[in-house]
Amino acid sequence: MNELSPPRSRSFAFGPFVLLPERQLLMRGDVPVRIGGRALDILTVLVERPGAVIGKQELLARVWPDTFVEDGNLKVNMAALRRALDESPGAARYIATVVGRGYRFSAPVHHSGSVHLASDVGVPAALNHNLPTATTRIVGRQDAIDAILRELREARLVSIVGAGGIGKTTVALAVAEHWIGTCKDGVWMVDLSPLKDPSLVPNAIATAIGLTAHSSNMLEALSAFLRSREMLLVFDSCEHIINGIASCADRILAEAPAVRILATSRESLRVKSERVRRLPGLGTPAKTAALDAETALTFPAIELFVDRATDRLESFSLSDADAPLAAELCRKLDGLALAIELAATRVDAFGIGELIEQLGDRFRLLQGHRGGIERHRTLTATIDWSYDLLSEIEQTMLRRLAAFAGIFSLDSACAITIDDRIDRARAVENIASLVAKSLLTAEMHDTQVEYRMLDMTRAYALDKLVANNELESARQRHAEHCLELVERATSDAERLTRAEWLVRHGPKTNDIREAMRWAFRVLTTWRWAFG
């Protein structure tokens, strides 16, 4: 064969996909599918013999030759492959699991062994980005992704803000993937989580985009380099050095008119012209909703749980009987993506009902990711990351506010946090700061703003109260305030209609009950101690 002729390669076509093994390439129409090399190798083995059952040992031997690996490696890459092929849990269109034997490629495959691949046909140019390969299917975030894409076309700085573990990085990467090929100078992700020194932010950006420069003023050199570039920069995990990142972003936006920035943080950068997109928890059904499995799976939080549980246990499926339990589990986890994923990793050890029972010790139960960034390996590490960034007064207030069982007003928050060190003005300022840092949620109820703490955050803050020997004093403050709330409710009963009274005082019921339980326990202890 002429050495200058275009290379020849095998081609496997199925559904909308074409696999080109020798090029390590999977295409869906004219678009390359981003997928890891091991998952592509697994797919190659399967499509070479469609309809045949390929045993796990054969797959391991072919994909990891001369290397000992655990079955878990195969399971993880198989899950990534299924997602790349858009296979939803329980609906295997291409790869069937043969229990106890292995896997079978079940779709028709059209094979060609001599396809010419000219360099300008069907093969994308070298990737002009450093985005990591997605290993999991994104669930329940398409509306947010679409909205952020629209905002990023209109604004040059968009910040995705939300609580730790809610899925900010996942959404940012999905948005960034849509920009691949649209920016002349690429799409570049800057992982800022390892940085401790804000002055090194320009160096981290320079490293990510491939700029080699030695300058006493790295920000100036970076700005000069970016001035004529057209690119998207993704700043991931900004909250711990936010002032350094904000000043850097401000300079880049001022001097590089064709550069856009997409940031993820637990609070906004507060830079001029910044668009802030606050990411909520994944949707869960209301407590009163009657659920079967089909209806439950229309809610993103439950869909995510089932998706990740299936990764862990291939035989897992959501039954009609389990649907209400899955809904309760996801509600208790606040629709928090990381918490739901960690809970799903325990489905092989506990049933869903037992998982709910174990949630009282959720910080021990919900751990499981050995890989990935350290602060996402356990639920405790995720909240530690936010808590450790707080000032001492913010930490004190967060702990004290954990005494509330439900929503609370600004006046109520001040009532149980003000002391000799914290006056009302400082309390109000720090409550606003906790909202900005995604540790409190502000919600509009009727005409008044009310505040709420995620159950995860509250459980963590209660543990901190115990660790600081503050639990009893916080409970006493809370009980004294609840007594005031009861007095107000009694007074209002004479002048408000029943409907108005319930709107104003109904949400306080859980707090009053909790205060009564605490008071009863204290009274019982005193009686026992003093006869």
Side-chain angles (χ1 to χ4, degrees), residues 378-455:
T378 69
L379 196 59
T380 304
T382 298
I383 307 181
D384 274 341
W385 176 266
S386 291
Y387 184 80
D388 291 343
L389 295 175
L390 300 178
S391 68
E392 182 181 349
I393 288 180
E394 287 172 329
Q395 290 180 346
T396 298
M397 290 193 59
L398 185 72
R399 294 194 301 267
R400 290 176 180 176
L401 292 172
F404 287 110
I407 62 173
F408 52 90
S409 66
L410 182 61
D411 285 342
S412 291
C414 290
I416 72 166
T417 56
I418 291 174
D419 60 13
D420 294 339
R421 290 185 309 146
I422 306 173
D423 59 17
R424 183 179 175 88
R426 180 167 285 188
V428 170
E429 176 188 347
N430 282 279
I431 288 166
S433 179
L434 292 173
V435 172
K437 294 175 180 178
S438 304
L439 288 164
L440 285 181
T441 300
E443 304 172 347
M444 183 63 71
H445 289 269
D446 197 12
T447 59
Q448 185 177 8
V449 176
E450 302 277 5
Y451 301 89
R452 182 174 65 87
M453 194 178 291
L454 294 181
D455 285 348

Side-chain angles (χ1 to χ4, degrees), residues 292-373:
D292 56 19
E294 183 178 0
T295 304
L297 284 168
T298 64
F299 291 90
I302 299 176
E303 184 185 0
L304 178 66
F305 176 77
V306 172
D307 186 85
R308 302 304 191 254
T310 306
D311 286 350
R312 186 73 173 189
L313 189 65
E314 290 180 359
S315 61
F316 179 85
S317 64
L318 186 70
S319 67
D320 289 343
D322 281 339
L325 294 175
E328 183 182 353
L329 177 69
C330 292
R331 279 195 300 268
K332 286 180 176 292
L333 297 177
D334 303 306
L336 198 69
L338 177 64
I340 291 169
E341 290 183 340
L342 292 175
T345 66
R346 310 309 297 271
V347 76
D348 55 348
F350 307 101
I352 300 178
E354 184 61 26
L355 274 174
I356 294 171
E357 292 295 324
Q358 295 288 332
L359 282 184
D361 197 6
R362 68 190 71 192
F363 294 109
R364 178 192 58 78
L365 176 71
L366 300 183
Q367 49 186 309
H369 293 327
R370 291 194 177 95
I373 50 180

Side-chain angles (χ1 to χ4, degrees), residues 385-530:
W385 176 266
S386 291
Y387 184 80
D388 291 343
L389 295 175
L390 300 178
S391 68
E392 182 181 349
I393 288 180
E394 287 172 329
Q395 290 180 346
T396 298
M397 290 193 59
L398 185 72
R399 294 194 301 267
R400 290 176 180 176
L401 292 172
F404 287 110
I407 62 173
F408 52 90
S409 66
L410 182 61
D411 285 342
S412 291
C414 290
I416 72 166
T417 56
I418 291 174
D419 60 13
D420 294 339
R421 290 185 309 146
I422 306 173
D423 59 17
R424 183 179 175 88
R426 180 167 285 188
V428 170
E429 176 188 347
N430 282 279
I431 288 166
S433 179
L434 292 173
V435 172
K437 294 175 180 178
S438 304
L439 288 164
L440 285 181
T441 300
E443 304 172 347
M444 183 63 71
H445 289 269
D446 197 12
T447 59
Q448 185 177 8
V449 176
E450 302 277 5
Y451 301 89
R452 182 174 65 87
M453 194 178 291
L454 294 181
D455 285 348
M456 290 290 166
T457 308
R458 180 173 185 255
Y460 178 92
L462 286 172
D463 285 348
K464 288 293 184 182
L465 276 175
V466 173
N468 286 274
N469 295 315
E470 298 171 334
L471 181 62
E472 291 305 304
S473 62
R475 290 294 192 201
Q476 181 171 341
R477 280 171 171 264
H478 176 256
E480 290 169 351
H481 177 63
C482 284
L483 187 58
E484 295 175 7
L485 294 179
V486 170
E487 291 172 352
R488 292 179 202 169
T490 302
S491 174
D492 284 347
E494 299 175 0
R495 62 185 189 84
L496 297 178
T497 66
R498 178 177 175 79
E500 291 171 331
W501 188 93
L502 285 172
V503 168
R504 180 172 298 183
H505 298 290
K508 310 296 192 299
T509 303
N510 288 338
D511 277 295
I512 293 169
R513 284 174 179 161
E514 194 154 312
M516 290 176 65
R517 280 194 292 267
W518 175 83
F520 180 77
R521 181 177 59 79
V522 171
L523 181 61
T524 301
T525 302
W526 284 353
R527 284 178 174 173
W528 180 84
F530 298 105

Side-chain angles (χ1 to χ4, degrees), residues 82-143:
R82 290 187 190 278
R83 292 193 183 91
L85 298 176
D86 285 338
E87 290 195 340
S88 58
R93 291 188 295 161
Y94 300 109
I95 302 171
T97 301
V98 183
V99 178
R101 295 176 62 194
Y103 302 93
R104 179 180 66 241
F105 198 84
S106 53
V109 176
H110 301 285
H111 168 240
S112 173
S114 56
V115 176
H116 287 281
L117 294 175
S119 59
D120 60 344
V121 179
V123 180
L127 292 178
N128 200 13
H129 67 86
N130 67 342
L131 302 182
T133 300
T135 59
T136 57
R137 184 171 72 92
I138 298 175
V139 174
R141 292 301 190 191
Q142 195 57 53
D143 287 348

